[in-house]
Amino acid sequence: MAQAFRTRSGQRGLSFLGLLFMGVLGAIAMVLAAQVFPTWVEYQAVIKAVNKASAGSTVPEVRLIFEKAAAIDDITSIKPKDLDVTKVNDRVVVSFSYEKDIHLVGPAYLVMKYSGQSK
């Protein structure tokens, strides 16, 4: 009988409360990822639009190219006027920077800061 007791106490595993706790943490992580993923997809679209826009030779032309690309890719976080257009060694470089706020719960927000420049 002592042998049977020892094998049961030697068993290891996850209790129901532990499983429930891990499930809640997993659900919170999935909800957070579901809110962050669209902002990352939009950031990738902004990079693509900025790279297209860098083909322009003047500031208005760069902004017009970006505006057209933003309309196609549904970019709403950044406007053409927010772009910084400079020239480096006879090459147009388009830079951008913006923040995206994600409401979590109550007064808590997750702030995503995105920035980049054309290749």
Side-chain angles (χ1 to χ4, degrees), residues 24-91:
V24 168
L25 285 180
I28 290 170
M30 293 302 287
V31 167
L32 186 60
Q35 291 180 347
V36 169
F37 184 72
T39 67
W40 180 80
V41 169
E42 186 178 37
Y43 170 69
Q44 295 300 316
V46 169
I47 289 176
K48 188 172 93 174
V50 163
N51 286 330
K52 281 183 188 176
S54 67
S57 57
T58 64
V59 174
E61 185 180 3
V62 166
R63 291 192 172 149
L64 182 63
I65 294 169
F66 179 83
E67 186 175 17
K68 288 179 181 180
I72 292 169
D73 290 333
D74 194 30
I75 297 170
T76 59
S77 295
I78 189 168
K79 304 292 181 211
K81 65 180 178 158
D82 299 328
L83 300 176
D84 294 325
V85 183
T86 58
K87 272 199 168 185
V88 177
N89 298 330
D90 295 332
R91 186 175 65 96

